[in-house]
Amino acid sequence: QVQLAESGGGLVQAGGSLRLSCTASGSIVTIGDMGWYRQRPDEARELVAGITSGHSSNYEWPVKGRFTISRDDAKNTVYLQMNNLKPEDTAVYYCNLRVAVPTRTGTLDTWGQGIQVTVSS
């Protein structure tokens, strides 16, 4: 019913930058909170940054001052600008959107397929 498409990952040297994008498509009424999570091998998935429908954002401390989350509601897209990347940022990154659809009340907790970010030292 709702599909998420992520892009922008890849391999970068330490100190470099990447910009992740996640676009929703399908039967969408509106999108509430949006967020980016990441998962390293053998570790649990963790929140990186979130942004509300009112564009209020929050960040976990390891990425504060380096990452910026933003959203374009006209394009149903959330972005994660990642600057000054470090090897410990290496992970699979997932977007998460809470999407309201015509066929049910409330929102659907929707996940992207994951995209690899690798930072070399």
Side-chain angles (χ1 to χ4, degrees):
Q1 202 167 21
V2 176
Q3 298 81 40
L4 302 185
E6 298 178 0
S7 62
L11 173 64
V12 65
Q13 289 188 333
S17 298
L18 287 172
R19 188 194 196 204
L20 304 183
S21 300
C22 173
T23 299
S25 61
S27 300
I28 298 169
V29 174
T30 188
I31 303 177
D33 294 346
M34 298 178 171
W36 287 95
Y37 291 71
R38 66 187 181 188
Q39 187 168 19
R40 302 183 185 90
D42 300 323
E43 294 187 12
R45 192 174 298 185
E46 62 180 7
L47 176 67
V48 174
I51 186 166
T52 68
S53 56
H55 292 238
S56 175
S57 59
N58 63 278
Y59 301 91
E60 293 303 300
W61 70 264
V63 307
K64 275 185 178 180
R66 300 188 297 120
F67 290 11
T68 302
I69 189 170
S70 61
R71 60 190 288 166
D72 185 336
D73 292 323
K75 296 181 179 180
N76 291 332
T77 298
V78 61
Y79 303 97
L80 186 68
Q81 177 66 44
M82 304 185 293
N83 297 330
N84 191 23
L85 282 159
K86 303 177 180 180
E88 53 263 41
D89 295 318
T90 296
V92 178
Y93 284 71
Y94 297 88
C95 59
N96 174 259
L97 278 59
R98 296 187 179 174
V99 182
V101 297
T103 54
R104 56 172 287 172
T105 58
T107 57
L108 288 176
D109 197 24
T110 309
W111 290 89
Q113 79 280 5
I115 191 164
Q116 179 69 44
V117 170
T118 302
V119 185
S120 62
S121 56

Coordinates of all heavy atoms in Angstrom, one line a residue, residues 20-77:
L20 N 21.3 11.0 2.6 CA 20.4 10.0 2.4 C 19.0 10.6 2.1 O 18.6 11.6 2.7 CB 20.3 9.1 3.6 CG 21.6 8.4 4.1 CD1 21.3 7.5 5.3 CD2 22.3 7.7 3.0
S21 N 18.2 9.9 1.2 CA 16.9 10.3 0.9 C 16.0 9.1 1.1 O 16.4 8.0 0.8 CB 16.7 10.9 -0.5 OG 17.6 12.0 -0.7
C22 N 14.7 9.4 1.5 CA 13.7 8.4 1.6 C 12.4 8.9 1.1 O 11.9 9.9 1.8 CB 13.6 7.9 3.0 SG 12.3 6.7 3.4
T23 N 11.8 8.4 0.1 CA 10.6 8.9 -0.5 C 9.5 7.9 -0.4 O 9.7 6.7 -0.8 CB 10.8 9.3 -2.0 OG1 11.8 10.3 -2.0 CG2 9.5 9.8 -2.6
A24 N 8.3 8.3 0.1 CA 7.2 7.4 0.2 C 6.3 7.6 -1.0 O 6.1 8.7 -1.6 CB 6.4 7.8 1.4
S25 N 5.7 6.5 -1.5 CA 4.7 6.5 -2.6 C 3.6 5.5 -2.3 O 3.8 4.6 -1.4 CB 5.4 6.1 -3.9 OG 5.9 4.8 -3.8
G26 N 2.5 5.7 -2.9 CA 1.3 4.9 -2.7 C 0.1 5.7 -2.2 O 0.0 6.9 -2.5
S27 N -0.8 5.0 -1.5 CA -2.0 5.7 -1.1 C -1.7 6.4 0.3 O -1.9 5.8 1.3 CB -3.1 4.6 -0.9 OG -3.4 4.0 -2.2
I28 N -1.3 7.6 0.2 CA -0.9 8.4 1.4 C -1.9 9.5 1.6 O -2.1 10.3 0.7 CB 0.5 8.9 1.2 CG1 1.5 7.7 1.0 CG2 0.9 9.8 2.3 CD1 2.9 8.2 0.6
V29 N -2.4 9.6 2.8 CA -3.2 10.8 3.2 C -2.3 11.9 3.8 O -2.3 13.0 3.3 CB -4.2 10.4 4.3 CG1 -5.0 11.6 4.8 CG2 -5.2 9.3 3.7
T30 N -1.4 11.5 4.7 CA -0.5 12.4 5.3 C 0.6 11.6 6.0 O 0.4 10.4 6.2 CB -1.1 13.4 6.3 OG1 -0.2 14.4 6.7 CG2 -1.6 12.7 7.5
I31 N 1.7 12.2 6.3 CA 2.8 11.6 7.0 C 3.1 12.3 8.3 O 3.3 13.5 8.2 CB 4.1 11.5 6.1 CG1 3.8 10.8 4.8 CG2 5.2 10.8 6.8 CD1 4.9 10.7 3.8
G32 N 3.2 11.6 9.3 CA 3.5 12.2 10.6 C 5.0 12.2 10.9 O 5.8 12.7 10.1
D33 N 5.4 11.6 12.0 CA 6.8 11.6 12.4 C 7.6 10.8 11.3 O 7.1 9.8 10.8 CB 7.0 11.0 13.7 CG 6.4 11.8 14.8 OD1 6.1 13.0 14.6 OD2 6.3 11.3 16.0
M34 N 8.8 11.3 11.1 CA 9.8 10.6 10.2 C 11.1 10.4 11.0 O 11.4 11.3 11.9 CB 10.1 11.5 9.0 CG 8.9 11.7 8.1 SD 9.4 12.8 6.7 CE 7.9 12.7 5.7
G35 N 11.8 9.4 10.7 CA 13.1 9.2 11.4 C 14.0 8.4 10.6 O 13.7 7.7 9.6
W36 N 15.3 8.4 11.0 CA 16.3 7.6 10.5 C 16.9 6.7 11.6 O 17.2 7.3 12.7 CB 17.5 8.4 9.9 CG 17.1 9.0 8.6 CD1 16.6 10.3 8.3 CD2 17.1 8.4 7.3 NE1 16.3 10.5 7.0 CE2 16.7 9.3 6.3 CE3 17.5 7.1 6.8 CZ2 16.6 9.1 5.0 CZ3 17.5 6.9 5.5 CH2 17.0 7.8 4.6
Y37 N 17.1 5.5 11.4 CA 17.7 4.5 12.3 C 18.9 3.9 11.6 O 19.1 4.0 10.4 CB 16.7 3.4 12.7 CG 15.5 3.9 13.5 CD1 14.5 4.7 13.0 CD2 15.4 3.5 14.8 CE1 13.5 5.1 13.8 CE2 14.4 3.9 15.6 CZ 13.4 4.7 15.1 OH 12.3 5.0 15.8
R38 N 19.8 3.3 12.4 CA 20.9 2.5 11.8 C 21.1 1.3 12.6 O 20.8 1.2 13.8 CB 22.1 3.4 11.7 CG 22.8 3.8 13.1 CD 23.9 4.8 12.8 NE 24.6 5.2 14.1 CZ 25.5 6.1 14.2 NH1 25.9 6.8 13.1 NH2 26.0 6.4 15.3
Q39 N 21.7 0.3 11.9 CA 22.0 -1.0 12.6 C 23.4 -1.4 12.1 O 23.6 -1.6 10.9 CB 21.0 -2.0 12.2 CG 21.1 -3.3 13.0 CD 19.9 -4.2 12.8 OE1 19.1 -4.0 11.9 NE2 19.7 -5.1 13.7
R40 N 24.3 -1.6 13.1 CA 25.6 -2.2 12.8 C 25.5 -3.7 13.0 O 24.6 -4.2 13.6 CB 26.6 -1.6 13.8 CG 26.8 -0.1 13.8 CD 27.9 0.4 14.7 NE 28.0 1.8 14.9 CZ 27.3 2.5 15.8 NH1 26.5 1.9 16.6 NH2 27.5 3.8 15.8
P41 N 26.4 -4.4 12.4 CA 26.4 -5.9 12.5 C 26.4 -6.3 13.9 O 27.1 -5.8 14.8 CB 27.7 -6.3 11.8 CG 28.0 -5.2 10.8 CD 27.5 -3.9 11.5
D42 N 25.6 -7.3 14.2 CA 25.4 -7.9 15.6 C 25.0 -6.9 16.6 O 25.2 -7.1 17.8 CB 26.8 -8.5 16.0 CG 27.2 -9.6 15.0 OD1 26.3 -10.3 14.6 OD2 28.4 -9.7 14.8
E43 N 24.4 -5.8 16.2 CA 23.9 -4.8 17.2 C 22.4 -4.5 16.9 O 21.9 -4.8 15.8 CB 24.7 -3.5 17.1 CG 26.1 -3.6 17.6 CD 26.8 -2.3 17.7 OE1 26.1 -1.2 17.6 OE2 28.1 -2.3 17.8
A44 N 21.7 -4.0 17.9 CA 20.3 -3.6 17.7 C 20.2 -2.4 16.9 O 21.1 -1.5 16.8 CB 19.7 -3.4 19.1
R45 N 19.0 -2.2 16.2 CA 18.8 -1.0 15.5 C 18.6 0.1 16.4 O 17.9 0.0 17.5 CB 17.5 -1.2 14.6 CG 17.3 -0.1 13.6 CD 16.1 -0.5 12.7 NE 16.3 -1.7 12.0 CZ 15.5 -2.2 11.0 NH1 14.3 -1.6 10.7 NH2 15.7 -3.3 10.4
E46 N 19.2 1.3 16.1 CA 19.1 2.4 17.0 C 18.6 3.7 16.3 O 18.9 3.9 15.1 CB 20.5 2.7 17.6 CG 21.6 3.1 16.6 CD 22.9 3.3 17.3 OE1 23.1 3.1 18.5 OE2 23.8 3.8 16.6
L47 N 18.0 4.5 17.0 CA 17.5 5.8 16.4 C 18.7 6.7 16.2 O 19.6 6.8 17.0 CB 16.5 6.5 17.4 CG 16.0 7.9 16.9 CD1 15.2 7.8 15.7 CD2 15.2 8.5 18.1
V48 N 18.7 7.4 15.1 CA 19.8 8.4 14.7 C 19.2 9.8 14.9 O 19.8 10.6 15.5 CB 20.3 8.2 13.3 CG1 21.3 9.3 12.9 CG2 21.0 6.8 13.2
A49 N 18.1 10.0 14.2 CA 17.4 11.3 14.2 C 16.0 11.2 13.9 O 15.6 10.3 13.2 CB 18.1 12.3 13.3
G50 N 15.2 12.1 14.4 CA 13.7 12.2 14.1 C 13.3 13.6 13.8 O 13.9 14.5 14.3
I51 N 12.2 13.7 13.1 CA 11.6 15.0 12.8 C 10.1 14.8 12.8 O 9.5 13.9 12.2 CB 12.1 15.5 11.5 CG1 11.6 17.0 11.3 CG2 11.8 14.6 10.3 CD1 12.3 17.7 10.1
T52 N 9.4 15.7 13.5 CA 7.9 15.6 13.6 C 7.2 16.3 12.4 O 7.9 17.0 11.6 CB 7.5 16.3 14.9 OG1 7.7 17.7 14.8 CG2 8.2 15.8 16.1
S53 N 5.9 16.2 12.4 CA 5.2 16.8 11.3 C 5.3 18.3 11.4 O 5.1 19.1 10.4 CB 3.7 16.4 11.3 OG 3.2 16.6 12.6
G54 N 5.6 18.9 12.6 CA 5.8 20.3 12.8 C 7.2 20.7 12.6 O 7.6 21.8 12.9
H55 N 8.1 19.8 12.1 CA 9.4 20.1 11.7 C 10.3 20.3 12.9 O 11.4 20.9 12.8 CB 9.6 21.2 10.7 CG 9.0 21.0 9.4 ND1 9.7 21.0 8.2 CD2 7.8 20.6 9.0 CE1 9.0 20.7 7.2 NE2 7.8 20.4 7.6
S56 N 9.9 19.7 14.0 CA 10.8 19.7 15.2 C 11.7 18.5 15.1 O 11.2 17.4 15.0 CB 10.0 19.7 16.5 OG 10.8 19.6 17.6
S57 N 13.0 18.7 15.3 CA 13.9 17.6 15.1 C 14.7 17.2 16.4 O 14.8 18.1 17.3 CB 15.0 17.9 14.0 OG 15.7 19.1 14.4
N58 N 15.1 16.0 16.5 CA 15.9 15.5 17.6 C 17.0 14.6 17.1 O 16.8 13.9 16.1 CB 15.1 14.9 18.7 CG 14.4 13.6 18.2 OD1 13.4 13.7 17.5 ND2 15.0 12.4 18.4
Y59 N 18.1 14.5 17.8 CA 19.3 13.8 17.4 C 19.8 13.0 18.6 O 19.8 13.5 19.7 CB 20.4 14.7 16.9 CG 19.9 15.5 15.7 CD1 19.4 16.8 15.9 CD2 20.1 15.0 14.4 CE1 18.9 17.5 14.8 CE2 19.6 15.8 13.3 CZ 19.1 17.0 13.5 OH 18.7 17.8 12.4
E60 N 20.3 11.8 18.3 CA 21.1 11.1 19.3 C 22.5 11.7 19.5 O 23.0 12.2 18.5 CB 21.2 9.6 19.0 CG 19.8 8.9 19.0 CD 19.2 9.0 20.4 OE1 19.7 8.5 21.4 OE2 18.1 9.6 20.4
W61 N 23.1 11.6 20.6 CA 24.3 12.4 20.9 C 25.5 12.0 20.0 O 26.3 12.9 19.7 CB 24.7 12.2 22.4 CG 25.2 10.9 22.8 CD1 24.4 9.9 23.4 CD2 26.5 10.4 22.7 NE1 25.2 8.8 23.6 CE2 26.5 9.1 23.2 CE3 27.7 10.9 22.2 CZ2 27.7 8.3 23.2 CZ3 28.8 10.1 22.2 CH2 28.8 8.8 22.7
P62 N 25.6 10.8 19.5 CA 26.8 10.5 18.7 C 26.8 11.3 17.3 O 27.9 11.5 16.7 CB 26.7 9.0 18.4 CG 25.9 8.5 19.5 CD 24.9 9.5 19.8
V63 N 25.6 11.8 16.9 CA 25.6 12.5 15.6 C 25.2 14.0 15.7 O 25.2 14.7 14.7 CB 24.6 11.8 14.7 CG1 24.8 10.3 14.6 CG2 23.1 12.0 15.1
K64 N 25.0 14.4 16.9 CA 24.7 15.8 17.1 C 25.8 16.7 16.6 O 26.9 16.5 16.8 CB 24.4 16.1 18.6 CG 23.0 15.9 19.0 CD 22.8 16.3 20.5 CE 21.3 16.1 20.9 NZ 21.1 16.5 22.3
G65 N 25.4 17.7 15.8 CA 26.3 18.7 15.3 C 26.9 18.2 14.0 O 27.6 19.0 13.3
R66 N 26.7 16.9 13.6 CA 27.2 16.4 12.3 C 26.1 16.0 11.3 O 26.3 16.2 10.1 CB 28.1 15.2 12.6 CG 29.3 15.4 13.5 CD 30.2 14.2 13.6 NE 29.6 13.0 14.2 CZ 29.4 11.9 13.5 NH1 29.9 11.7 12.3 NH2 28.8 10.9 14.1
F67 N 25.0 15.6 11.8 CA 23.9 15.1 11.0 C 22.8 16.1 11.1 O 22.5 16.7 12.1 CB 23.4 13.7 11.4 CG 24.3 12.6 11.1 CD1 25.7 12.8 10.8 CD2 23.9 11.3 11.3 CE1 26.5 11.7 10.5 CE2 24.7 10.2 11.1 CZ 26.0 10.4 10.7
T68 N 22.1 16.3 10.0 CA 20.9 17.1 9.9 C 19.7 16.4 9.2 O 19.9 15.9 8.1 CB 21.1 18.4 9.2 OG1 22.2 19.1 9.8 CG2 19.9 19.3 9.2
I69 N 18.6 16.3 9.9 CA 17.4 15.7 9.3 C 16.5 16.8 8.8 O 16.4 17.8 9.5 CB 16.7 14.7 10.3 CG1 15.6 13.9 9.6 CG2 16.2 15.5 11.5 CD1 15.0 12.8 10.5
S70 N 15.9 16.5 7.7 CA 14.9 17.5 7.2 C 13.8 16.7 6.4 O 14.0 15.6 6.1 CB 15.6 18.5 6.3 OG 16.2 17.9 5.2
R71 N 12.8 17.4 6.0 CA 11.7 16.8 5.3 C 11.1 17.7 4.3 O 11.1 19.0 4.5 CB 10.6 16.3 6.3 CG 9.9 17.4 7.1 CD 9.0 16.7 8.2 NE 7.8 16.1 7.7 CZ 7.0 15.3 8.4 NH1 7.4 15.0 9.6 NH2 5.9 14.8 7.8
D72 N 10.6 17.2 3.2 CA 9.8 17.9 2.2 C 8.5 17.2 2.1 O 8.4 16.2 1.4 CB 10.6 17.9 0.9 CG 10.0 18.8 -0.2 OD1 8.8 19.0 -0.1 OD2 10.7 19.2 -1.1
D73 N 7.5 17.8 2.7 CA 6.2 17.2 2.7 C 5.5 17.1 1.3 O 4.7 16.2 1.0 CB 5.3 17.9 3.7 CG 5.8 17.7 5.1 OD1 6.2 16.6 5.4 OD2 5.7 18.6 5.9
A74 N 5.8 18.1 0.5 CA 5.3 18.1 -0.9 C 5.8 16.9 -1.7 O 5.1 16.4 -2.6 CB 5.6 19.4 -1.6
K75 N 7.0 16.4 -1.3 CA 7.6 15.3 -2.0 C 7.5 14.0 -1.2 O 8.1 12.9 -1.6 CB 9.0 15.6 -2.4 CG 9.2 16.7 -3.3 CD 10.7 17.0 -3.6 CE 10.9 18.1 -4.6 NZ 12.3 18.4 -4.9
N76 N 6.9 14.0 0.0 CA 6.8 12.8 0.8 C 8.2 12.3 1.1 O 8.4 11.0 1.1 CB 5.9 11.8 0.2 CG 4.4 12.2 0.2 OD1 4.0 12.9 1.1 ND2 3.7 11.7 -0.7
T77 N 9.1 13.1 1.4 CA 10.5 12.7 1.4 C 11.2 13.2 2.7 O 10.9 14.4 3.2 CB 11.3 13.3 0.2 OG1 10.8 12.7 -1.0 CG2 12.8 12.9 0.3

